[in-house]
């Protein structure tokens, strides 16, 4: 992770008031059609922050109507200059900057993110994402094509239409900007369903969308649960595309529903069991630190967690020793408090699952080097945990843990470690640590992962496409490529009396 | 006609149209020195030169006159700013883009000041400077700000056991020589892509119109571009211009001006160090009006197309070909328009046409008008200078013009509209293309096939269909043949400001 600049990190907002708790449709705030609300929790204290309107199919239907209306030919949004769409996205980014302290405080409180990280990293990436996408708006080119015949042919990259976007709880703001940024740059309209655990920053962003001047119906936000609001989106007959970030298990359901309903286009960013390969010639300190951040960042709640660490035999013991030392440097507690550098897991379900997997590690014979259980009596905290002597058959080496648990395995030869690294149905990220030019290039080519980091990890940049091989996802987000995922290509062929080259 | 849309953000809530922007009264000219390394310098020679207001014929102020030693100093600064490890080379591309956005913000803030300066220095109507020149500048910087972190090379599947990729690197120190007809706008067209791609720049604004470029220097400094990234050396063509074109440490030159000088620039560039060259030169642009055109639209577009900016546009519609059947009516309506064109003080909101830029241009235009009369064209209106009015010329229309007349062959760069007749499409295509120029062309027709046929057949870098002077920062602009080399604006501009490096890494055949 690139370290934050020497900016002063302010203290979190002391008296954070949650202003926006309703459903956002047509730039207006609505109660749920059913009248129901649902509670939103602070995972550090297990207390309820507030209640939010609970959207279901009826609310999704309302949102789709609004989004469809805003997408009509002749609408303000459809007739707007593309450069103007870019200006609106830049404006939204400026408003995020203005409300940075508020958004970081809210994100920290609701998602359990350590405050300095939320302020410096989450907000930074989110703002950059919007600015990056803003720049693309009037640069989405089609082509004129030298086709056979007396025909003048060109392509148009048009917006797809109404896009449903289902956002996870591990990076609520970042994941929101990754979805709406490209979608709006291309001229689509969207219906966002934030995770039920973390709807608050999405709702504040909705207020900024309105303030920035996006026309009504272009962005709609329907908080609610997966089986209700999420399912309604995946199977809606009038939604043209669904984008989902979350578990592979739910991703499969979404793609199935999309196929069963109207063949809406699907992009998925799912889970991972990403390998990190450390060769004996690597810069050891560099490798230890990046491998560490790679699995412990945000309490291990990242799809790209480096949760299978393969270390070459000759440096294995030293590597384990340094990794354990590193894992002991955490101060757990309320992420809003100063001096805390590890927050809670998001909820009870995750907490239980992680502790269960830790137990399996102990039972199946891995060596527990540190941590190994829950921390504290209140809040969903887990001690930073390191296992060594892990073998490929163990559950902790196969299943996605999504917690602060590091697995360190040994390898002898390069061919073998490549095979083992690829031996998973996941394929999201991978790390390679070596000083050797040839090894770096060959191994990165051989790994079945959508993102391969060499001598670094978690080096996310908004300019680069991100996504998974195999069951870690379909399609890419960000970069030029990610932009095109939000367009539908139309070929126009006009008969002319005579063609000349 | 280019977009006229600038006062939207000042819209009144009660629905009344927004108030027109006003020029700054008694504007003090603050920046008159040479700009190097974010500092203001006097000329090495100690010389200064005067810049005049063509409307009043009065001197506005004196400006430091650069020459070769000043260019050398500027190039040194630009080179230093381009060194590996320099702040500019190490900056994230996204950050370069942000600096360009901030520059656009400052242009918005100082829009009225810049428009006032531009009007004083060029004589163009203030509202045109505000709504066309400044609007174009702001949009250009914002457009290229967006490209900065999207300049991508390729990874390439070559033969053999090799890893191959390209880097699209900045070229280095770029020289830019800009004209007097759209001083700030033509500068933005060069500066924006150059900086977006990570180059450093040495600019020479036209000697007739240095003021807005120097003001821009102050904004560059205010935004926080590192010193040496942008340097501005005012002066004359044969001294500063020549020094830039032949400088051995300048890696690329971009020039907008006459074809005659463009040739000299390319020659000097080749003789010295083969620096890369892009040129935007003159034009004798055909405007083809078919019988099935929307006649009112065609008349208006053709009128603005040739008279806009006092006729001082490289894109001037200076050969209007009208299909026989509608010829008479077209001439009649065009003359009406020309007679109504308000000529006067550029600071008056009603004025559409100000003075020509200087005596030299003024004399050339009148000479060409005389040639039109002598060679037998029919003078419909205008045809001489405004009485008693310095550099102002009456909007002039000639009909019954034939291809061999001087007014049909030479670039006039003044408020003179030559109208010619044609019978059929094949004929007009040939006649439109029989020129060494090839900048723009316009076609007025409602017929799909005719439109596409003409778009394909005309040898011009831009073809406008049922519009004129429709410039967009997203679309490339440049000339065929002797109207120029290369393209400005759009994604295409990036290719002119980057140098492609191919990196080929052989892998060890012994490894798996």
């Amino acid at each position: 992770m690139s370290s934050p600049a020497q900016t002063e990190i302010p203290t979190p907002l002391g008296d954070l008031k949650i202003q926006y708790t309703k459903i956002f449709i047509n730039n207006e705030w609505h109660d749920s059609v059913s009248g129901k609300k649902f509670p939103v929790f602070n995972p550090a204290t297990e207390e309820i922050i507030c209640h939010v309107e609970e959207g279901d199919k009826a609310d999704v239907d309302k949102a789709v109507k609004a989004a469809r209306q805003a997408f009509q030919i002749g609408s303000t949004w459809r007739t707007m200059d593309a450069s103007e769409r870019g200006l609106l996205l830049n404006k939204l980014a400026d408003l995020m900057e203005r409300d940075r302290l508020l958004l970081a405080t809210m994100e920290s409180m609701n998602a359990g993110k350590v405050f300095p990280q939320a302020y410096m990293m989450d907000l930074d990436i989110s703002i950059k994402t919007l600015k990056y996408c803003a720049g693309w708006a009037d640069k989405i080119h089609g082509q004129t094509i030298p086709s056979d015949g007396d025909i003048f042919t060109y392509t148009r990259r048009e917006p797809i239409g109404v896009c449903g976007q289902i956002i996870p709880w591990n990076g609520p703001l970042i994941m929101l900007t990754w979805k709406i940024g490209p979608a709006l740059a291309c001229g689509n309209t969207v219906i966002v369903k934030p995770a039920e655990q973390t709807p608050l920053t999405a709702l504040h962003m909705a207020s900024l969308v309105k303030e920035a001047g996006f026309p009504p119906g272009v962005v709609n936000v329907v908080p609610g649960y997966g089986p209700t609001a999420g399912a309604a989106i995946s199977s809606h007959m009038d939604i043209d595309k669904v984008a989902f970030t979350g578990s592979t298990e739910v991703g499969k359901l979404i793609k199935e529903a999309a196929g069963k309903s109207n063949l809406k286009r699907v992009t998925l960013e799912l889970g991972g069991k990403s390998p990190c390969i450390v060769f004996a010639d690597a810069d050891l300190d560099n490798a230890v630190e990046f491998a560490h951040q790679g699995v412990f960042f945000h309490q291990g709640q990242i799809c790209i967690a480096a949760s299978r660490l393969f270390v070459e035999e000759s440096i294995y013991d030293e590597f384990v020793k340094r990794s354990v030392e590193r894992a002991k440097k955490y101060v757990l507690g309320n992420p809003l408090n100063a001096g805390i550098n590890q927050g809670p897991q998001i909820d009870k379900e995750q907490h239980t699952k992680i502790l269960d997997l830790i137990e399996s590690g102990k039972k199946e014979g891995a060596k527990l080097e540190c941590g190994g259980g829950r921390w504290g009596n209140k809040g969903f905290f887990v001690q930073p945990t390191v296992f060594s002597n892990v073998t490929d058959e163990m559950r902790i080496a196969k299943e996605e843990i999504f917690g602060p648990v590091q697995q360190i395995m040994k390898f002898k030869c390069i061919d073998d470690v490549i095979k083992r690294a690829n031996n998973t149905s996941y394929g999201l990220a991978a790390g390679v640590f070596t000083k050797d030019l040839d090894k770096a290039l060959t191994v990165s080519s051989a790994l079945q992962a959508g993102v391969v980091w060499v001598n670094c990890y978690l080096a996310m940049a908004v300019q680069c496409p991100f996504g998974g091989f195999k069951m870690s996802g379909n399609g890419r987000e960000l970069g030029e490529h990610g932009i095109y995922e939000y367009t539908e290509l139309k070929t126009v062929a006009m008969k002319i009396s005579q063609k000349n080259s | 006609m280019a977009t006229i849309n600038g006062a939207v953000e000042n819209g009144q809530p009660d629905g009344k149209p927004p108030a027109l922007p006003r020029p700054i009264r008694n504007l003090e000219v603050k920046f008159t020195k040479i700009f190097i390394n974010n500092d203001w310098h006097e000329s090495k020679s100690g010389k200064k030169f005067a810049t005049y207001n063509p409307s009043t014929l009065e001197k506005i102020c004196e400006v430091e006159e650069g020459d070769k030693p000043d260019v050398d100093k500027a190039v040194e600064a630009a080179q230093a700013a381009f060194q590996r490890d320099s702040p500019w080379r190490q900056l994230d591309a996204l950050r370069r883009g942000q600096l360009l956005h901030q520059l656009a913000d400052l242009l918005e803030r100082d829009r009225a000041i810049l428009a006032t300066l531009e009007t004083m220095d060029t004589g163009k109507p203030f509202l045109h400077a505000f709504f066309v020149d400044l609007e174009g500048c702001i949009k250009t910087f914002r457009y290229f700000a967006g490209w900065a972190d999207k300049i991508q090379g390729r990874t390439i599947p070559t033969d053999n056991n090799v890893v191959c990729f390209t880097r699209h690197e900045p070229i280095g120190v770029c020289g830019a020589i800009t004209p007097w007809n759209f001083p700030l706008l033509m500068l933005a067209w060069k500066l924006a892509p150059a900086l977006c791609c990570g180059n450093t720049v040495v600019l020479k604004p036209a000697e007739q119109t240095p003021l807005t470029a120097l003001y821009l220097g102050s904004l560059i400094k205010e935004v926080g571009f590192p010193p040496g990234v942008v340097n501005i050396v005012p002066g004359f063509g044969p001294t500063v211009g020549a020094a830039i074109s032949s400088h051995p440490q300048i890696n690329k030159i971009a020039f907008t001006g006459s074809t005659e000088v463009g040739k000299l620039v390319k020659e000097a560039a080749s003789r010295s160090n083969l620096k890369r060259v892009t040129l935007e030169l003159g034009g004798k642009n055909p405007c083809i009006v078919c019988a099935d055109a929307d006649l009112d639209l065609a008349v208006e577009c053709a009128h603005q197309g040739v008279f806009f900016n006092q006729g001082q546009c490289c894109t001037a519609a200076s050969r209007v070909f009208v299909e026989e059947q509608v010829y008479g009516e077209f001439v009649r309506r065009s003359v009406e328009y020309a007679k109504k064109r308000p000529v006067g003080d550029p600071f008056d909101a009603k004025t559409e046409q100000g003075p020509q830029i200087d005596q030299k241009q003024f004399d050339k235009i009148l000479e060409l008008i005389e040639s039109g009369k002598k060679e037998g064209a029919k003078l419909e209106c205008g045809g001489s200078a405004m009485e008693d009015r310095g550099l102002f010329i009456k909007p002039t229309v000639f009909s019954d013009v034939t291809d061999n007349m001087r007014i049909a062959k030479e670039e006039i760069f003044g408020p003179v509209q030559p109208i010619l007749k044609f019978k059929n499409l094949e004929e007009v295509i040939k006649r439109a293309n029989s020129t060494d120029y090839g900048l723009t062309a316009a076609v007025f027709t409602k017929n799909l096939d005719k439109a596409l046929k003409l778009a394909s057949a005309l040898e011009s870098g831009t073809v406008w269909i049922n519009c004129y002077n429709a410039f967009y920062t997203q679309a490339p602009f440049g000339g065929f043949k002797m109207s120029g080399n290369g393209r400005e604006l759009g994604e295409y501009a990036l290719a002119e400001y980057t140098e492609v490096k191919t990196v080929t890494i052989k892998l060890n055949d012994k490894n798996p």
Side-chain angles (χ1 to χ4, degrees):
Chain A
M1 235 12 256
S2 51
S3 47
Q6 276 92 313
T7 328
E8 285 273 316
I9 297 175
T11 44
L13 223 46
D15 57 348
L16 181 66
K17 287 183 188 39
I18 309 296
Q19 252 183 295
Y20 306 105
T21 60
K22 295 194 182 198
I23 295 171
F24 183 77
I25 297 177
N26 264 334
N27 284 4
E28 287 162 357
W29 300 100
H30 298 250
D31 291 335
S32 64
V33 168
S34 65
K36 282 160 79 181
K37 296 194 214 298
F38 68 99
V40 178
F41 296 90
N42 177 335
T45 62
E46 297 181 44
E47 282 161 12
I48 294 180
I49 301 173
C50 65
H51 283 79
V52 163
E53 295 296 321
E54 184 184 332
D56 201 325
K57 186 175 183 320
D59 308 278
V60 169
D61 284 342
K62 259 168 86 178
V64 172
K65 272 208 185 60
R68 179 61 61 195
Q69 182 74 12
F71 192 73
Q72 285 312 298
I73 289 282
S75 71
T76 310
W77 186 237
R78 290 304 292 278
T79 53
M80 191 181 279
D81 282 342
S83 57
E84 184 66 30
R85 294 202 302 262
L87 287 179
L88 287 174
L89 280 168
N90 266 314
K91 184 87 210 278
L92 186 59
D94 289 341
L95 293 176
M96 279 192 85
E97 183 67 62
R98 181 195 70 188
D99 290 359
R100 192 171 185 145
L101 187 55
L102 184 155
L103 284 163
T105 305
M106 200 182 273
E107 195 82 317
S108 179
M109 181 189 290
N110 191 195
K113 273 182 191 286
V114 168
F115 178 78
Q117 199 174 286
Y119 187 86
M120 292 304 299
M121 203 216 72
D122 292 60
L123 264 298
D124 194 54
I125 294 189
S126 303
I127 291 167
K128 280 181 167 165
T129 297
L130 291 180
K131 291 192 165 178
Y132 177 79
C133 295
W136 269 118
D138 60 354
K139 302 172 180 64
I140 299 166
H141 300 150
Q143 299 175 308
T144 58
I145 299 166
S147 54
D148 290 352
D150 285 322
I151 312 271
F152 169 61
T153 308
Y154 63 94
T155 54
R156 277 170 54 85
R157 282 195 187 272
E158 305 190 344
I160 306 180
V162 177
C163 300
Q165 308 187 307
I166 302 173
I167 319 287
W169 48 258
N170 62 342
L173 266 177
I174 294 183
M175 294 290 104
L176 177 69
T177 56
W178 278 31
K179 303 262 178 306
I180 68 174
L184 298 177
C186 298
N188 299 282
T189 56
V190 304
I191 294 155
V192 174
K193 180 203 131 357
E196 57 271 25
Q197 297 91 334
T198 54
L200 302 182
T201 44
L203 293 174
H204 187 84
M205 285 295 286
S207 76
L208 298 184
V209 160
K210 178 176 178 168
E211 190 182 341
F214 284 87
V218 171
V219 176
N220 306 279
V221 182
V222 182
Y225 291 84
T228 47
I233 287 175
S234 321
S235 47
H236 207 286
M237 294 302 287
D238 202 25
I239 286 181
D240 305 301
K241 171 192 166 97
V242 64
F244 169 78
T245 297
S247 68
T248 295
E249 181 194 351
V250 176
K252 291 169 77 176
L253 295 175
I254 293 191
K255 190 166 177 175
E256 208 185 307
K260 263 213 189 97
S261 52
N262 67 341
L263 286 177
K264 55 175 67 60
R265 289 94 183 87
V266 179
T267 48
L268 304 169
E269 298 281 354
L270 308 176
K273 193 65 183 174
S274 305
C276 228
I277 302 174
V278 184
F279 288 96
D281 75 333
D283 173 334
L284 200 57
D285 276 328
N286 188 59
V288 166
E289 182 60 25
F290 274 113
H292 172 84
Q293 291 288 358
V295 78
F296 285 100
F297 190 76
H298 188 37
Q299 293 84 260
Q301 298 168 131
I302 44 178
C303 46
I304 40 184
S307 50
R308 285 185 298 149
L309 235 193
F310 295 97
V311 182
E312 195 162 5
E313 199 168 37
S314 53
I315 51 162
Y316 184 82
D317 292 332
E318 183 59 24
F319 191 96
V320 171
K321 177 161 117 28
R322 294 192 203 187
S323 298
V324 173
E325 246 169 67
R326 182 61 183 86
K328 288 181 171 163
K329 293 198 174 123
Y330 282 93
V331 181
L332 284 73
N334 190 314
L336 281 169
N337 294 345
I340 300 299
N341 58 9
Q342 181 177 330
Q345 309 309 123
I346 188 65
D347 60 18
K348 193 167 175 56
E349 192 190 321
Q350 288 294 315
H351 194 238
T352 306
K353 173 178 155 198
I354 296 161
L355 292 175
D356 175 59
L357 276 155
I358 290 177
E359 287 310 306
S360 82
K362 295 174 189 169
K363 276 204 196 70
E364 293 181 335
K367 178 171 179 213
L368 181 69
E369 298 276 353
C370 67
R374 103 165 268 157
W375 179 89
N377 297 318
K378 206 170 177 149
F380 309 113
F381 294 87
V382 173
Q383 296 171 49
T385 299
V386 178
F387 282 109
S388 63
N389 292 349
V390 177
T391 56
D392 295 7
E393 303 322 310
M394 297 177 184
R395 282 184 67 202
I396 53 173
K398 297 206 293 198
E399 296 173 39
E400 189 177 38
I401 303 175
F402 234 63
V405 186
Q406 184 176 49
Q407 286 64 239
I408 314 185
M409 292 111 106
K410 200 182 289 188
F411 79 90
K412 269 202 180 74
C413 89
I414 187 174
D415 267 347
D416 192 50
V417 75
I418 290 174
K419 280 200 187 73
R420 288 167 68 191
N422 285 339
N423 183 22
T424 164
S425 55
Y426 287 118
L428 191 50
V432 180
F433 292 86
T434 175
K435 287 185 185 143
D436 186 80
L437 174 65
D438 215 82
K439 234 178 246 175
L441 292 173
T442 329
V443 175
S444 47
S445 295
L447 291 169
Q448 291 162 353
V451 183
V452 181
W453 284 302
V454 179
N455 295 331
C456 59
Y457 205 85
L458 293 190
M460 307 279 263
V462 302
Q463 299 89 2
C464 307
F466 176 87
F469 277 38
K470 304 193 279 191
M471 291 183 80
S472 283
N474 290 163
R476 294 292 176 270
E477 291 193 302
L478 296 197
E480 179 178 5
H481 214 94
I483 298 286
Y484 293 153
E485 302 263 18
Y486 278 93
T487 59
E488 188 79 43
L489 197 63
K490 172 186 285 176
T491 302
V492 180
M494 293 186 182
K495 172 116 179 54
I496 51 178
S497 49
Q498 183 194 79
K499 179 241 332 272
N500 279 272
S501 63
Chain B
M1 190 58 217
T3 337
I4 301 208
N5 167 25
V8 174
E9 64 268 28
N10 300 320
Q12 314 293 323
D14 59 8
K16 287 205 207 100
L20 287 174
R22 298 256 182 79
I24 311 292
R25 290 171 178 284
N26 305 319
L27 179 62
E28 186 201 330
V29 178
K30 287 206 206 123
F31 306 104
T32 60
K33 296 194 179 183
I34 296 171
F35 183 74
I36 297 177
N37 265 331
N38 285 4
D39 272 328
W40 300 100
H41 300 254
E42 280 163 12
S43 65
K44 286 258 163 135
S45 66
K47 281 159 81 182
K48 295 194 216 292
F49 69 100
T51 183
Y52 297 89
N53 180 333
S55 199
T56 61
L57 298 176
E58 281 163 11
K59 179 167 85 172
I60 301 172
C61 66
E62 296 207 321
V63 168
E64 295 296 321
E65 183 183 333
D67 202 324
K68 189 175 181 317
D70 307 280
V71 170
D72 287 340
K73 209 163 128 193
V75 172
E76 243 176 73
Q79 272 191 300
F82 191 73
Q83 282 312 296
R84 291 191 63 74
D85 300 340
S86 72
W88 184 237
R89 292 301 294 277
Q90 302 221 285
L91 213 55
D92 280 342
L94 179 78
R95 183 89 192 98
R96 286 201 309 262
Q98 286 178 349
L99 289 173
L100 287 169
H101 263 300
Q102 284 166 251
L103 187 58
D105 289 341
L106 293 186
L107 284 169
E108 290 216 42
R109 181 194 70 189
D110 293 352
R111 193 170 180 161
I113 296 174
L114 283 158
T116 301
L117 270 176
E118 200 78 308
T119 296
M120 281 164 59
D121 220 3
T122 63
K124 68 173 71 211
F126 172 77
L127 290 178
H128 293 186
F130 192 95
F131 284 119
V132 176
D133 297 58
L134 264 299
E135 174 93 352
C137 285
I138 292 162
K139 283 187 161 170
T140 299
F141 281 110
R142 292 212 191 283
Y143 177 77
F144 283 102
W147 269 122
D149 60 353
K150 301 170 181 63
I151 297 167
Q152 298 161 165
R154 311 271 181 272
T155 59
I156 300 165
T158 57
D159 292 354
N160 292 339
N161 192 18
V162 132
V163 166
C164 180
F165 61 91
T166 54
R167 283 171 49 86
H168 286 203
E169 306 190 344
I171 307 180
V173 177
C174 298
I177 300 175
T178 50
W180 47 259
N181 59 345
F182 293 90
L184 198 61
L185 184 59
M186 292 299 102
L187 185 57
W189 283 21
K190 292 167 185 43
L191 196 57
L195 297 179
C196 155
C197 296
N199 297 284
T200 57
V201 184
V202 174
L203 314 163
K204 174 195 148 337
E207 56 270 24
Q208 297 91 335
T209 56
L211 301 181
T212 44
L214 294 174
Y215 192 96
L216 189 68
S218 75
L219 300 183
I220 296 275
K221 179 175 180 166
E222 189 180 340
V223 164
F225 283 88
V229 170
V230 179
N231 307 279
I232 306 171
V233 184
F236 292 83
T239 47
V240 177
I244 291 177
S245 314
S246 46
H247 204 291
Q249 269 85 49
I250 287 181
N251 308 108
K252 178 225 163 73
I253 184 162
F255 170 80
T256 297
S258 69
T259 295
E260 181 193 351
V261 177
K263 292 170 76 177
L264 296 174
V265 169
K266 191 166 180 174
E267 210 184 305
S270 313
R271 263 217 203 102
S272 51
N273 66 341
L274 285 176
K275 55 176 66 61
R276 290 93 182 88
V277 179
T278 48
L279 305 169
E280 298 281 352
L281 308 176
K284 192 65 184 172
N285 310 293
C287 186
I288 299 171
V289 182
C290 299
D292 72 334
D294 172 335
L295 204 60
D296 273 329
L297 177 71
V299 166
E300 177 170 10
C301 284
H303 172 83
Q304 293 294 1
V306 78
F307 289 104
F308 181 64
N309 208 43
Q310 295 71 255
Q312 300 168 146
C313 293
C314 46
T315 59
S318 52
R319 284 185 297 155
V320 187
F321 293 96
V322 183
E323 197 164 5
E324 214 169 29
Q325 297 93 301
V326 294
Y327 180 83
E329 186 57 21
F330 185 93
V331 170
R332 194 185 68 71
R333 294 192 205 186
S334 299
V335 172
E336 242 174 70
Y337 253 95
K339 283 183 168 157
K340 281 191 317 207
R341 193 170 181 81
V343 182
D345 174 7
F347 282 109
D348 183 338
K350 286 191 250 61
T351 298
E352 287 279 310
Q353 181 177 321
Q356 306 311 122
I357 188 66
D358 61 19
Q359 191 68 43
K360 182 168 158 208
Q361 287 295 314
F362 178 83
D363 290 340
K364 173 179 156 200
I365 297 159
L366 288 178
E367 197 233 326
L368 276 155
I369 289 177
E370 287 312 307
S371 81
K373 295 173 189 170
K374 277 204 192 71
E375 292 181 334
K378 179 173 179 210
L379 181 67
E380 296 275 351
C381 67
S384 61
M386 301 285 288
E387 296 78 27
D388 229 12
R389 288 294 297 278
L391 299 172
F392 294 79
I393 296 180
K394 292 182 185 157
T396 297
V397 179
F398 281 106
S399 64
D400 292 344
V401 177
T402 55
D403 293 5
N404 51 346
M405 295 177 184
R406 284 183 66 200
I407 53 172
K409 297 204 295 196
E410 296 173 38
E411 190 178 37
I412 303 175
F413 235 62
V416 183
Q417 181 180 45
I419 310 183
L420 306 91
K421 195 185 296 187
F422 77 91
K423 276 198 171 69
N424 66 60
L425 222 49
E426 285 310 316
E427 170 215 333
V428 78
I429 289 172
K430 278 203 186 66
R431 289 168 66 192
N433 285 340
S434 66
T435 165
D436 287 331
Y437 288 119
L439 192 55
T440 63
V443 176
F444 290 86
T445 178
K446 287 186 185 144
N447 183 276
L448 176 64
D449 201 73
K450 241 182 243 179
L452 293 177
K453 185 186 201 122
L454 285 165
S456 155
L458 291 166
E459 291 161 7
S460 311
T462 297
V463 180
W464 284 310
I465 308 212
N466 295 332
C467 56
Y468 209 90
N469 278 339
F471 284 98
Y472 305 106
T473 52
Q474 301 91 359
F477 178 84
F480 276 37
K481 305 191 276 189
M482 292 183 82
S483 282
N485 291 164
R487 295 289 176 271
E488 294 193 298
L489 301 186
E491 180 180 11
Y492 296 72
L494 302 177
E496 314 283 9
Y497 284 94
T498 50
E499 190 80 45
V500 178
K501 172 187 287 175
T502 300
V503 179
T504 301
I505 305 177
K506 176 91 180 67
L507 296 175
N508 193 331
D509 288 325
K510 295 199 209 84
N511 278 346

